[in-house]
Amino acid sequence: MQDKDEKFTSNPFLNENQWRRRGIIAWSLLGMAGVFVVSVMALGRIGQAVELLAIGGIVAFICSPLTNRFEGWGVPRALAAFLALILVILIFLGFVALIAQPLIDELLILLKNAPLYASQLQSMISEVWTTYDAIGNPTVRDAVNSIVSQASSLGVSFASEAFRWLSANALSNISTLGEHFMSFFLGLVLAYWLVKDYPVIVRELVTIAGPDRDDELRLLLAILSRSVGGYMRSTIITSVANGIFAYVGCLLIGNPYAGLIGAIVGIFHIIPVVGPAFSAGIALILSVLQSPMLAL
């Protein structure tokens, strides 16, 4: 009986602890949000440096197995890294040259037809309301129609601005394109340096770590190189494969935006979990604007 009384009297303290725990969680979430905002702002300040490091690291991990293969055939490390980099660049440029023209054409057609698609979408929603309106509430119907109308107007405005920029103002932003090209070029230089001097970098890190940690550090770097490099290479391979399969599939069923859908699927596949679902949603929207059967 005494134990029960003690447990009963301790309940307010338990509730106080629970509220304290909830407060800690709430403040932790706010702190995480603040750190995220600060990180995004900082990345905006050093965007070119992040872009440079990302390009250099990704290309280096892609070229690494090719360089090792060439080196295994007796080619010097510097020449092997250069040959691997040239091979990767040629494959990339060939792929871009293959899809660039149809992709730009389809994108311009989509942006040009955006007002027509917006009116079609509004008509489809109105028809659905008329046929399947089981609620019978005009207030709800008017609210939904207003939201759809505002979203359509926003989409049309964005599409018009994007079309105007792509068709008329692209040359005025040549300096921005030049900056990205320079970052890409410097990223390739960084990738070549990382691939060529990777054994030297590992040797220097092992020397810094000391003889007591050299085996552990070598194992850690080998696992990191194998896992990260394998993940990047496999992600790029599967992204390209998914983009090609989506393009061929949409081409076979007569989708006029096959190239655009294929590019979207390939690009967003790089984003884990949500990327494929997001690209599938875009593909469905682009298809339903043509016909419900095509979307099906």
Side-chain angles (χ1 to χ4, degrees):
M1 195 68 179
Q2 185 177 359
D3 295 339
K4 292 182 179 180
D5 293 339
E6 290 178 356
K7 290 182 179 179
F8 179 77
T9 56
S10 63
N11 283 337
F13 295 100
L14 292 177
N15 293 334
E16 183 179 353
N17 290 333
Q18 290 177 356
W19 280 109
R20 184 182 293 110
R21 197 159 44 241
R22 292 177 181 177
I24 292 174
I25 293 174
W27 280 108
S28 299
L29 293 176
L30 289 175
M32 292 172 61
V35 171
F36 177 76
V37 172
V38 173
S39 301
V40 171
M41 294 175 61
L43 288 177
R45 298 283 185 178
I46 58 173
Q48 289 187 344
V50 173
E51 182 181 358
L52 172 64
L53 293 175
I55 294 174
I58 293 174
V59 176
F61 278 116
I62 295 174
C63 294
S64 180
L66 294 174
T67 303
N68 295 334
R69 181 64 59 88
F70 289 147
E71 190 179 20
W73 291 343
V75 180
R77 182 80 186 181
L79 181 58
F82 181 75
L83 293 177
L85 183 61
I86 293 298
L87 182 60
V88 170
I89 292 175
L90 290 177
I91 294 175
F92 174 75
L93 292 179
F95 183 74
V96 170
L98 184 65
I99 69 170
Q101 189 60 43
L103 180 62
I104 293 175
D105 293 341
E106 293 177 8
L107 181 60
L108 290 176
I109 292 174
L110 174 63
L111 296 176
K112 185 177 181 180
N113 294 334
L116 176 62
Y117 292 150
S119 62
Q120 289 180 356
L121 184 61
Q122 291 180 0
S123 301
M124 290 172 57
I125 294 177
S126 300
E127 185 178 352
V128 169
W129 272 115
T130 304
T131 307
Y132 302 103
D133 186 10
I135 300 177
N137 191 337
T139 303
V140 176
R141 183 167 57 249
D142 293 340
V144 173
N145 289 334
S146 177
I147 293 173
V148 173
S149 178
Q150 293 178 2
S152 300
S153 300
L154 182 62
V156 170
S157 177
F158 173 78
S160 300
E161 291 296 329
F163 178 77
R164 187 179 300 110
W165 184 88
L166 289 174
S167 59
N169 299 327
L171 292 178
S172 62
N173 293 275
I174 193 68
S175 60
T176 303
L177 296 177
E179 292 178 359
H180 289 292
F181 177 78
M182 182 59 65
S183 298
F184 182 76
F185 176 76
L186 294 178
L188 295 180
V189 175
L190 177 62
Y192 172 77
W193 175 76
L194 290 174
V195 174
K196 181 181 76 69
D197 290 338
Y198 179 75
V200 179
I201 296 173
V202 172
R203 187 166 60 249
E204 293 296 331
L205 291 176
V206 169
T207 302
I208 294 173
D212 296 334
R213 299 290 183 180
D214 56 351
D215 293 335
E216 297 178 3
L217 183 59
R218 288 181 187 275
L219 179 61
L220 178 63
L221 292 175
I223 294 175
L224 181 64
S225 176
R226 180 101 177 191
S227 59
V228 175
Y231 174 77
M232 289 184 177
R233 288 188 292 270
S234 61
T235 299
I236 292 175
I237 291 173
T238 53
S239 298
V240 172
N242 281 340
I244 292 175
F245 289 148
Y247 169 71
V248 173
C250 292
L251 200 62
L252 291 177
I253 63 176
N255 195 310
Y257 300 116
L260 184 59
I261 292 176
I264 291 173
V265 169
I267 292 173
F268 280 96
H269 179 76
I270 299 175
I271 304 175
V273 183
V274 298
F278 187 74
S279 62
I282 295 178
L284 183 62
I285 293 175
L286 293 178
S287 300
V288 77
L289 292 175
Q290 303 301 314
S291 69
M293 183 57 66
L294 185 62
L296 179 62

